[in-house]
Amino acid sequence: MAYADKQLKAREIITKAVCGKGRKFSTVTHNVTPPNHPTSILGAWIINHQYEAVRSGDGIEVIGTYDVNIWYSYNKNSQTDVAKETLSYVEHVPLSYLDPKHRASTEEVTAESTQEPNCIEANISSSGAGVVIRVEREFAVELVAETKIWVATLPGGSEDGKEFEYGDDGDFEDLDPELLDDEL
């Protein structure tokens, strides 16, 4: 019997899959108060970034900390010092895609910092006693869980243990390999 004469059937399979995705870029402002009144800002950078992801409502929360280091001059630019402060944050990343039929009891969430926190601006505050810094950061999150999918099956398997192939094995020499690159 030819493969075309066999009727395809479907089977439900439970598998782990990416059931939710999201991405969020944000710019936040922090106020840091050094021990001395700054005269000028000489540099600002962020180090020791640590975070974890947890499921929260309709999205994923990224909970983390980082250290802010601000090099500044004081006493009319006659001395310098580095102000260090550990800042914590909670970033809610909404899921732009969510499979409504996933098994909630099997959820695993992950977050990746696609842009590490970076100080893009540092200015002396209007009071003159502190430093206002702007930080940008971006996260991509995924929710992996068990879900059901439907797959097509051949009753009785394939004849003679041969693999089933859809369509012909025509060569693909006449395909333009640049076509996909242009669309990306």
Side-chain angles (χ1 to χ4, degrees):
M1 179 185 308
Y3 287 117
D5 297 335
K6 291 186 176 182
Q7 185 180 28
L8 289 177
K9 293 188 177 182
R11 176 169 292 154
E12 189 176 39
I13 294 177
I14 297 175
T15 187
K16 271 192 168 186
V18 175
C19 295
K21 283 187 172 197
R23 178 179 292 269
K24 184 175 182 183
F25 174 84
S26 62
T27 303
V28 294
T29 303
H30 298 290
N31 293 310
V32 177
T33 306
N36 304 294
H37 291 307
T39 305
S40 63
I41 307 300
L42 305 172
W45 62 97
I46 296 174
I47 60 172
N48 300 328
H49 182 218
Q50 297 177 339
Y51 59 92
E52 63 180 20
V54 295
R55 179 81 155 102
S56 174
D58 62 345
I60 294 174
E61 283 188 347
V62 180
I63 303 165
T65 61
Y66 44 75
D67 295 337
V68 175
N69 293 300
I70 300 171
W71 182 32
Y72 66 99
S73 67
Y74 63 98
N75 201 12
K76 297 183 182 178
N77 288 326
S78 64
Q79 294 177 311
T80 65
D81 197 2
V82 175
K84 300 174 186 175
E85 193 168 319
T86 300
L87 302 172
S88 58
Y89 65 89
V90 177
E91 187 78 62
H92 181 79
V93 182
L95 296 173
S96 58
Y97 161 75
L98 180 62
D99 176 1
K101 298 191 178 200
H102 74 277
R103 292 185 174 180
S105 63
T106 64
E107 290 179 347
E108 299 170 18
V109 294
T110 59
E112 179 185 353
S113 179
T114 53
Q115 180 173 330
E116 287 291 325
N118 183 33
C119 180
I120 56 173
E121 185 178 18
N123 295 311
I124 298 172
S125 66
S126 59
S127 69
V131 178
V132 178
I133 63 167
R134 280 191 19 206
V135 175
E136 62 182 15
R137 58 187 183 225
E138 183 179 37
F139 291 99
V141 297
E142 282 187 346
L143 180 142
V144 175
E146 288 182 1
T147 189
K148 293 179 182 180
I149 61 171
W150 287 91
V151 295
T153 60
L154 289 173
S158 63
E159 295 175 4
D160 303 326
K162 296 179 184 174
E163 290 184 18
F164 181 76
E165 295 180 17
Y166 289 96
D168 63 315
D169 348 308
D171 20 327
F172 300 100
E173 294 172 0
D174 53 339
L175 290 178
D176 182 7
E178 299 299 317
L179 180 64
L180 289 177
D181 291 339
D182 291 343
E183 291 179 5
L184 296 175

Coordinates of all heavy atoms in Angstrom, one line a residue, residues 46-103:
I46 N 29.0 50.8 36.7 CA 28.2 49.8 37.4 C 28.9 48.4 37.3 O 29.4 48.0 36.2 CB 26.8 49.7 36.8 CG1 26.1 51.0 37.0 CG2 26.0 48.5 37.4 CD1 24.7 51.1 36.4
I47 N 29.0 47.8 38.5 CA 29.7 46.4 38.5 C 28.9 45.5 39.4 O 27.9 45.9 40.1 CB 31.1 46.6 39.1 CG1 31.1 47.2 40.5 CG2 32.0 47.4 38.2 CD1 32.5 47.1 41.2
N48 N 29.2 44.2 39.4 CA 28.7 43.2 40.3 C 27.2 43.0 40.1 O 26.4 43.0 41.1 CB 29.0 43.5 41.8 CG 30.5 43.5 42.0 OD1 31.2 42.8 41.4 ND2 30.9 44.3 43.0
H49 N 26.7 43.0 38.9 CA 25.3 42.8 38.6 C 24.9 41.3 38.9 O 25.5 40.4 38.3 CB 25.0 43.2 37.2 CG 23.5 43.1 36.8 ND1 23.1 42.6 35.6 CD2 22.4 43.4 37.5 CE1 21.8 42.7 35.6 NE2 21.4 43.1 36.7
Q50 N 23.9 41.1 39.7 CA 23.3 39.8 40.0 C 21.8 39.9 39.9 O 21.2 40.9 40.4 CB 23.8 39.3 41.3 CG 25.3 39.2 41.5 CD 25.7 38.8 42.9 OE1 25.0 39.0 43.8 NE2 26.9 38.2 43.0
Y51 N 21.2 38.8 39.4 CA 19.7 38.9 39.3 C 19.2 37.4 39.3 O 19.9 36.5 39.0 CB 19.2 39.7 38.1 CG 19.8 39.1 36.8 CD1 19.0 38.2 36.1 CD2 21.0 39.5 36.3 CE1 19.5 37.7 34.9 CE2 21.5 39.0 35.1 CZ 20.7 38.1 34.4 OH 21.2 37.6 33.2
E52 N 17.9 37.3 39.5 CA 17.1 36.1 39.4 C 15.8 36.4 38.9 O 15.3 37.5 38.9 CB 17.1 35.3 40.7 CG 16.3 36.0 41.8 CD 16.3 35.2 43.1 OE1 17.1 34.3 43.3 OE2 15.4 35.5 43.9
A53 N 15.1 35.4 38.3 CA 13.8 35.6 37.7 C 12.7 34.8 38.5 O 13.0 33.6 38.9 CB 13.8 35.1 36.3
V54 N 11.5 35.3 38.7 CA 10.4 34.6 39.3 C 9.1 35.0 38.6 O 9.0 36.1 38.0 CB 10.3 35.0 40.8 CG1 11.5 34.6 41.6 CG2 10.0 36.5 41.0
R55 N 8.2 34.0 38.5 CA 6.9 34.2 37.9 C 6.1 35.2 38.7 O 6.0 35.0 40.0 CB 6.2 32.9 37.7 CG 4.9 33.0 37.1 CD 5.0 33.1 35.5 NE 3.8 32.5 34.9 CZ 2.9 33.3 34.4 NH1 3.0 34.6 34.4 NH2 1.8 32.8 33.8
S56 N 5.4 36.1 38.1 CA 4.6 37.1 38.8 C 3.4 37.6 38.0 O 3.7 38.3 37.0 CB 5.5 38.3 39.3 OG 4.7 39.3 39.8
G57 N 2.2 37.2 38.3 CA 1.1 37.6 37.6 C 1.1 37.3 36.1 O 1.3 36.2 35.7
D58 N 1.0 38.3 35.3 CA 1.0 38.2 33.8 C 2.4 38.3 33.2 O 2.5 38.5 32.0 CB 0.1 39.2 33.2 CG 0.5 40.6 33.4 OD1 1.4 40.8 34.3 OD2 0.0 41.5 32.7
G59 N 3.4 38.2 34.0 CA 4.8 38.3 33.5 C 5.8 37.7 34.4 O 5.5 36.8 35.2
I60 N 7.0 38.1 34.3 CA 8.1 37.6 35.0 C 8.8 38.8 35.7 O 9.1 39.8 35.0 CB 9.1 36.8 34.1 CG1 8.4 35.5 33.6 CG2 10.4 36.4 34.9 CD1 9.2 34.7 32.6
E61 N 9.2 38.7 37.0 CA 9.9 39.7 37.6 C 11.4 39.3 37.7 O 11.7 38.2 38.1 CB 9.3 39.9 39.1 CG 8.1 40.7 39.1 CD 7.6 41.1 40.5 OE1 8.2 40.5 41.5 OE2 6.7 41.9 40.6
V62 N 12.2 40.3 37.3 CA 13.6 40.1 37.5 C 14.0 40.9 38.7 O 13.8 42.1 38.8 CB 14.4 40.6 36.2 CG1 15.9 40.5 36.4 CG2 13.9 39.9 35.0
I63 N 14.6 40.2 39.7 CA 15.0 40.8 41.0 C 16.5 40.8 41.0 O 17.1 39.8 40.9 CB 14.4 40.1 42.1 CG1 12.8 40.0 42.0 CG2 14.8 40.7 43.5 CD1 12.2 39.0 42.9
G64 N 17.1 42.0 41.2 CA 18.5 42.0 41.2 C 19.1 43.2 42.0 O 18.5 44.0 42.5
T65 N 20.5 43.2 42.0 CA 21.3 44.2 42.6 C 22.5 44.5 41.7 O 22.9 43.7 40.9 CB 21.8 43.8 44.0 OG1 22.6 42.7 43.8 CG2 20.7 43.5 44.9
Y66 N 23.0 45.7 41.9 CA 24.3 46.1 41.3 C 24.9 47.2 42.1 O 24.3 47.9 42.9 CB 24.2 46.5 39.8 CG 23.1 47.4 39.4 CD1 23.1 48.8 39.7 CD2 22.0 47.0 38.7 CE1 22.1 49.6 39.3 CE2 21.0 47.8 38.3 CZ 21.0 49.2 38.6 OH 20.0 50.0 38.2
D67 N 26.3 47.3 42.0 CA 27.0 48.3 42.7 C 27.3 49.5 41.8 O 27.7 49.3 40.6 CB 28.4 47.7 43.2 CG 28.2 46.6 44.2 OD1 27.2 46.6 44.9 OD2 29.2 45.8 44.3
V68 N 27.0 50.7 42.3 CA 27.2 51.9 41.5 C 28.5 52.5 42.1 O 28.6 52.7 43.3 CB 26.1 52.9 41.6 CG1 26.4 54.2 40.9 CG2 24.8 52.3 41.0
N69 N 29.4 52.9 41.3 CA 30.7 53.5 41.7 C 30.7 54.9 41.0 O 30.7 54.9 39.8 CB 31.9 52.7 41.3 CG 32.0 51.4 42.1 OD1 32.0 51.5 43.4 ND2 32.0 50.3 41.5
I70 N 30.8 56.0 41.8 CA 30.9 57.3 41.2 C 32.2 58.0 41.6 O 32.4 58.2 42.8 CB 29.7 58.1 41.6 CG1 28.4 57.5 41.1 CG2 29.8 59.6 41.0 CD1 27.1 58.1 41.7
W71 N 33.0 58.3 40.6 CA 34.3 59.0 40.9 C 34.0 60.4 40.8 O 33.4 60.9 39.7 CB 35.3 58.5 39.9 CG 36.7 59.1 40.1 CD1 37.3 59.5 41.3 CD2 37.6 59.4 39.1 NE1 38.5 60.0 41.0 CE2 38.8 59.9 39.7 CE3 37.6 59.2 37.7 CZ2 39.9 60.3 39.0 CZ3 38.8 59.6 37.0 CH2 39.9 60.1 37.6
Y72 N 34.3 61.2 41.8 CA 33.9 62.6 41.8 C 35.0 63.4 42.5 O 35.8 62.9 43.2 CB 32.6 62.8 42.5 CG 32.6 62.6 44.0 CD1 32.7 63.6 44.9 CD2 32.5 61.3 44.5 CE1 32.7 63.3 46.3 CE2 32.5 61.0 45.8 CZ 32.6 62.0 46.7 OH 32.7 61.7 48.1
S73 N 35.0 64.7 42.2 CA 35.9 65.6 42.9 C 35.1 66.5 43.9 O 33.9 66.6 43.7 CB 36.6 66.6 41.9 OG 35.7 67.4 41.3
Y74 N 35.7 67.0 44.9 CA 35.1 67.8 45.9 C 36.1 68.8 46.4 O 37.2 68.8 46.0 CB 34.4 67.0 47.0 CG 35.4 66.2 47.8 CD1 35.8 66.6 49.1 CD2 35.9 64.9 47.4 CE1 36.7 65.9 49.8 CE2 36.7 64.2 48.2 CZ 37.2 64.7 49.4 OH 38.1 64.0 50.1
N75 N 35.6 69.7 47.3 CA 36.4 70.7 47.9 C 37.1 71.6 46.8 O 38.3 71.7 46.7 CB 37.5 70.1 48.8 CG 38.0 71.1 49.8 OD1 37.5 72.2 50.0 ND2 39.1 70.7 50.5
K76 N 36.2 72.1 45.9 CA 36.6 72.9 44.8 C 37.6 72.2 43.8 O 38.6 72.8 43.5 CB 37.1 74.3 45.3 CG 36.1 75.1 46.0 CD 36.6 76.4 46.4 CE 35.6 77.2 47.2 NZ 36.1 78.5 47.7
N77 N 37.3 71.0 43.5 CA 38.2 70.2 42.6 C 39.6 69.9 43.1 O 40.5 69.7 42.4 CB 38.3 70.8 41.2 CG 37.0 70.7 40.5 OD1 36.2 69.7 40.6 ND2 36.7 71.7 39.6
S78 N 39.8 70.0 44.5 CA 41.1 69.8 45.0 C 41.3 68.3 45.5 O 42.5 67.9 45.7 CB 41.4 70.7 46.2 OG 40.5 70.5 47.2
Q79 N 40.2 67.6 45.7 CA 40.3 66.2 46.1 C 39.4 65.3 45.3 O 38.3 65.8 44.8 CB 40.1 66.1 47.6 CG 41.1 66.8 48.5 CD 40.7 66.7 49.9 OE1 39.6 67.0 50.3 NE2 41.7 66.3 50.8
T80 N 39.6 64.0 45.3 CA 38.7 63.1 44.6 C 38.4 61.9 45.6 O 39.1 61.6 46.5 CB 39.3 62.5 43.3 OG1 40.4 61.7 43.6 CG2 39.7 63.6 42.3
D81 N 37.3 61.3 45.3 CA 36.9 60.1 46.0 C 35.9 59.3 45.1 O 35.5 59.8 44.1 CB 36.1 60.5 47.3 CG 36.1 59.4 48.3 OD1 36.6 58.3 48.1 OD2 35.4 59.6 49.4
V82 N 35.7 58.1 45.6 CA 34.7 57.2 44.9 C 33.6 56.9 45.8 O 33.8 56.3 46.9 CB 35.4 55.9 44.4 CG1 34.4 55.0 43.7 CG2 36.5 56.2 43.4
A83 N 32.4 57.2 45.4 CA 31.2 56.9 46.2 C 30.7 55.5 45.7 O 30.6 55.3 44.5 CB 30.1 57.9 46.1
K84 N 30.5 54.6 46.7 CA 30.0 53.2 46.3 C 28.7 53.0 47.0 O 28.5 53.3 48.1 CB 31.0 52.2 46.7 CG 32.4 52.4 46.1 CD 33.4 51.4 46.7 CE 34.8 51.7 46.2 NZ 35.8 50.9 46.8
E85 N 27.7 52.5 46.2 CA 26.4 52.2 46.8 C 25.9 50.9 46.0 O 26.0 50.8 44.8 CB 25.5 53.3 46.6 CG 24.3 53.2 47.4 CD 23.5 54.5 47.5 OE1 24.1 55.6 47.6 OE2 22.2 54.4 47.4
T86 N 25.3 50.0 46.8 CA 24.6 48.9 46.2 C 23.1 49.2 46.1 O 22.5 49.6 47.1 CB 24.8 47.6 47.1 OG1 26.2 47.3 47.2 CG2 24.1 46.4 46.5
L87 N 22.6 49.1 44.9 CA 21.2 49.4 44.6 C 20.5 48.1 44.2 O 21.1 47.2 43.5 CB 21.1 50.4 43.4 CG 21.9 51.7 43.7 CD1 21.8 52.5 42.4 CD2 21.2 52.5 44.8
S88 N 19.3 48.0 44.6 CA 18.4 46.8 44.3 C 17.3 47.3 43.4 O 16.9 48.5 43.4 CB 17.9 46.1 45.5 OG 17.2 47.0 46.3
Y89 N 16.7 46.4 42.6 CA 15.6 46.7 41.7 C 14.8 45.5 41.5 O 15.2 44.4 41.8 CB 16.2 47.2 40.4 CG 16.9 46.1 39.6 CD1 16.2 45.3 38.7 CD2 18.3 45.9 39.8 CE1 16.9 44.3 38.1 CE2 19.0 45.0 39.1 CZ 18.3 44.1 38.2 OH 18.9 43.1 37.5
V90 N 13.5 45.8 41.1 CA 12.6 44.7 40.6 C 12.0 45.2 39.3 O 11.4 46.3 39.2 CB 11.5 44.5 41.7 CG1 10.5 43.5 41.1 CG2 12.0 44.1 43.0
E91 N 12.3 44.5 38.3 CA 11.8 44.8 36.9 C 10.8 43.8 36.5 O 11.0 42.6 36.4 CB 13.0 44.8 35.9 CG 12.7 45.3 34.6 CD 12.7 46.8 34.5 OE1 13.7 47.4 34.8 OE2 11.6 47.4 34.2
H92 N 9.5 44.3 36.2 CA 8.5 43.5 35.8 C 8.5 43.4 34.2 O 8.4 44.4 33.6 CB 7.1 44.0 36.2 CG 6.0 43.1 35.8 ND1 5.6 41.9 36.4 CD2 5.1 43.2 34.8 CE1 4.6 41.4 35.8 NE2 4.3 42.2 34.8
V93 N 8.7 42.2 33.7 CA 8.8 42.0 32.3 C 7.5 41.3 31.8 O 7.3 40.1 32.1 CB 10.0 41.2 31.8 CG1 10.1 41.1 30.3 CG2 11.3 41.8 32.4
P94 N 6.6 42.0 31.1 CA 5.4 41.3 30.6 C 5.7 40.3 29.5 O 6.7 40.4 28.8 CB 4.6 42.5 30.1 CG 5.5 43.6 29.8 CD 6.7 43.4 30.7
L95 N 4.9 39.3 29.5 CA 5.0 38.2 28.5 C 4.2 38.7 27.2 O 3.0 38.8 27.3 CB 4.5 36.9 29.0 CG 5.3 36.3 30.2 CD1 4.7 35.1 30.7 CD2 6.8 36.0 29.8
S96 N 5.0 38.8 26.1 CA 4.3 39.2 24.8 C 3.6 37.9 24.2 O 2.8 38.1 23.4 CB 5.3 39.8 23.9 OG 6.3 38.9 23.6
Y97 N 4.1 36.7 24.6 CA 3.5 35.5 24.2 C 3.3 34.6 25.4 O 4.2 34.5 26.2 CB 4.4 34.8 23.1 CG 4.1 33.4 22.9 CD1 2.9 33.0 22.2 CD2 4.9 32.4 23.5 CE1 2.6 31.6 22.1 CE2 4.6 31.0 23.3 CZ 3.5 30.7 22.6 OH 3.1 29.4 22.5
L98 N 2.2 33.9 25.5 CA 1.9 33.0 26.6 C 1.0 31.9 26.1 O -0.1 32.2 25.7 CB 1.4 33.7 27.8 CG 1.1 32.8 29.0 CD1 2.4 32.1 29.5 CD2 0.5 33.5 30.1
D99 N 1.4 30.7 26.2 CA 0.6 29.5 25.8 C -0.4 29.3 26.9 O 0.0 29.0 28.1 CB 1.4 28.3 25.6 CG 0.6 27.0 25.3 OD1 -0.6 27.1 25.3 OD2 1.2 26.0 25.2
P100 N -1.7 29.5 26.7 CA -2.7 29.4 27.8 C -2.9 28.0 28.3 O -3.5 27.8 29.3 CB -4.0 30.0 27.2 CG -3.8 29.8 25.7 CD -2.3 29.9 25.4
K101 N -2.5 27.0 27.5 CA -2.7 25.6 27.9 C -1.5 24.9 28.5 O -1.5 23.7 28.6 CB -3.2 24.9 26.6 CG -4.5 25.4 26.1 CD -5.1 24.5 25.1 CE -6.4 25.1 24.6 NZ -7.3 24.2 24.0
H102 N -0.5 25.7 28.9 CA 0.6 25.0 29.6 C 0.2 24.6 31.0 O -0.7 25.1 31.6 CB 1.8 26.0 29.6 CG 1.7 27.1 30.6 ND1 1.1 28.3 30.3 CD2 2.2 27.2 31.8 CE1 1.2 29.0 31.3 NE2 1.9 28.5 32.3
R103 N 1.0 23.7 31.5 CA 0.8 23.2 32.9 C 1.5 24.1 33.9 O 2.7 24.1 33.9 CB 1.2 21.8 33.1 CG 0.4 20.8 32.3 CD 0.8 19.4 32.6 NE -0.1 18.5 31.9 CZ 0.0 17.2 32.0 NH1 1.0 16.6 32.7 NH2 -0.9 16.4 31.4

